[in-house]
Amino acid sequence: MLNFRLNNLKLNAAALLGATLLFSACGGGNSESGSDVSGNIQIDGSSTVYPITEAVAEEYRAEAPDVRVTVGVSGTGGGFKKFTRGEIDIVNASRQIKSSEQEVAQQNGISFIELPVAYDGLTVVVHPENDWVKEMTTEDLKKIWEPAAQGTVKKWNQIRPEWPDQEFHLYGPGVESGTYDYFTEAVVGESGSSRGDYTASEDDNVLVQGVSTDPNALGFFGFAYYEENQGKLKVVPVDDMDDSNGTGAVTPTLETVKDGSYAPLSRPLFIYVNSNATSNPAVVDFVNFYLENAGELSQEVGYIPLPAEMYKEQQQKFKSFTEGSAKK
């Protein structure tokens, strides 16, 4: 099981990977065979989780052609805003829901279930022509990204004296992104705390384009976007300076993310389901289909699947959730 060592986060993988039933459920529904259901399903949120959910949705559309599944990308934070207002059925999330977001959901009478669907490794990248950055420590990354660096730490040789006296250019997710929250907490030590003078986008493809065309660029985003574009990007191994994870810098791969040695940038990815939406049989059917196929499809799009028994665990917990909803 992946063991998440995240500086001040102190998160436990087993707790993260257990589907957490939050608040009391209201609403209900029972799954039907895909070809027999119809209706609309609204999904929004994380650009990192998007490739998995879109892959699942594409397969599901073939199974249930009368169900219209719409998958948007507004970032984890933007998705949770819509989700906690009851505007969407499912939110893609690259972090866990915040207490402030839970409060909004509760105020609006919304309960939900959290379902982990895959692992990801936040990947630090530079341009392929960059021949000086062979690896970085978490201290190097903090020195670059912490708020105090804005306007003062601007050149490579300010990070390591042997690096060039050239200005670097930073690319990263926007502040509504769960990837941004996760990275800043794991590296800087406080969620949402970073310098602001970087090129930000909620669309990871924009970040890929920026780094791949700028020899002095450095950026970070989900592992799948590196995998898809590795011919035009150079991955940077990261040393968390904790020998218990293995000595030296570790490159993100399917194996190092899954076994937790790529620390502190390994993380779980989630979907959250609104209990009110489970009164729609199409939503229940889709989520069951998602959990049955997430392992294979997450790997196809460049992420790391959970162990098979964990998907079975999530299926059982979702079944209990919907059955409990039906009694309300």
Side-chain angles (χ1 to χ4, degrees):
M1 183 181 294
L2 184 60
N3 180 27
F4 300 97
R5 303 176 181 91
L6 302 176
N7 297 343
N8 298 327
L9 293 180
K10 307 298 185 185
L11 296 178
N12 179 285
L16 279 174
L17 296 174
T20 305
L21 185 61
L22 298 165
F23 305 128
S24 61
C26 53
N30 296 302
S31 178
E32 302 176 10
S33 60
S35 60
D36 296 332
V37 297
S38 61
N40 297 311
I41 302 172
Q42 295 290 328
I43 308 172
D44 208 323
S46 169
S47 62
T48 302
V49 186
Y50 172 84
I52 305 173
T53 300
E54 181 54 34
V56 173
E58 185 175 341
E59 292 292 324
Y60 184 73
R61 291 176 188 118
E63 295 286 328
D66 293 329
V67 179
R68 183 171 180 266
V69 184
T70 303
V71 187
V73 182
S74 61
T76 298
F80 272 129
K81 286 179 181 176
K82 295 179 180 181
F83 184 77
T84 57
R85 292 195 296 253
E87 297 173 5
I88 57 176
D89 304 306
I90 299 168
V91 63
N92 294 325
S94 59
R95 60 163 170 79
Q96 290 184 293
I97 191 168
K98 297 178 180 178
S99 58
S100 58
E101 293 163 337
Q102 293 184 40
E103 289 171 6
V104 174
Q106 193 169 30
Q107 290 166 6
N108 290 327
I110 293 169
S111 56
F112 50 82
I113 189 170
E114 170 194 278
L115 299 169
V117 294
Y119 298 139
D120 181 30
L122 294 191
T123 305
V124 179
V125 295
V126 293
H127 190 276
E129 292 178 9
N130 183 322
D131 59 1
W132 56 92
V133 176
K134 304 293 193 301
E135 49 83 22
M136 298 185 83
T137 67
T138 49
E139 284 301 311
D140 292 332
L141 291 170
K142 181 177 180 180
K143 191 182 297 184
I144 291 172
W145 285 97
E146 65 185 347
Q150 181 164 334
T152 59
V153 179
K154 300 188 288 185
K155 295 186 176 182
W156 292 107
N157 64 355
Q158 290 177 276
I159 309 306
R160 296 193 186 181
E162 66 270 25
W163 288 351
D165 182 18
Q166 297 175 18
E167 193 169 299
F168 55 70
H169 309 132
L170 300 176
Y171 296 80
V175 297
E176 291 290 340
S177 169
T179 300
Y180 170 84
D181 289 336
Y182 197 93
F183 181 88
T184 51
E185 186 152 3
V187 169
V188 179
E190 182 181 349
S191 177
S193 177
S194 82
R195 66 191 300 163
D197 55 341
Y198 70 97
T199 300
S201 177
E202 307 295 346
D203 185 345
D204 291 326
N205 290 303
V206 172
L207 305 179
V208 169
Q209 177 69 13
V211 177
S212 67
T213 57
D214 184 345
N216 277 296
L218 180 142
F220 68 92
F221 36 75
F223 182 71
Y225 288 89
Y226 164 70
E227 281 274 285
E228 186 179 349
N229 298 280
Q230 58 185 298
K232 51 188 178 182
L233 298 167
K234 175 183 171 182
V235 68
V236 178
V238 175
D239 184 354
D240 71 345
M241 307 175 76
D242 180 354
D243 289 347
S244 67
N245 302 321
T247 304
V250 178
T251 301
T253 65
L254 295 179
E255 292 74 25
T256 61
V257 171
K258 193 169 186 177
D259 68 21
S261 59
Y262 182 64
L265 298 179
S266 298
R267 61 176 178 169
L269 303 175
F270 306 94
I271 60 170
Y272 286 73
V273 184
N274 184 332
S275 63
N276 296 329
T278 62
S279 62
N280 179 355
V283 170
V284 176
D285 194 65
F286 174 77
V287 174
N288 284 323
F289 183 88
Y290 199 128
L291 295 173
E292 289 167 5
N293 294 277
E296 178 182 353
L297 294 176
S298 63
Q299 191 159 4
E300 283 187 13
V301 297
Y303 290 100
I304 298 88
L306 307 178
E309 63 270 17
M310 289 188 179
Y311 288 115
K312 292 178 182 177
E313 203 175 287
Q314 308 320 308
Q315 288 174 285
Q316 184 56 50
K317 290 188 177 181
F318 183 64
K319 180 181 178 182
S320 298
F321 178 75
T322 57
E323 289 175 350
S325 298
K327 295 176 182 178
K328 298 294 180 179

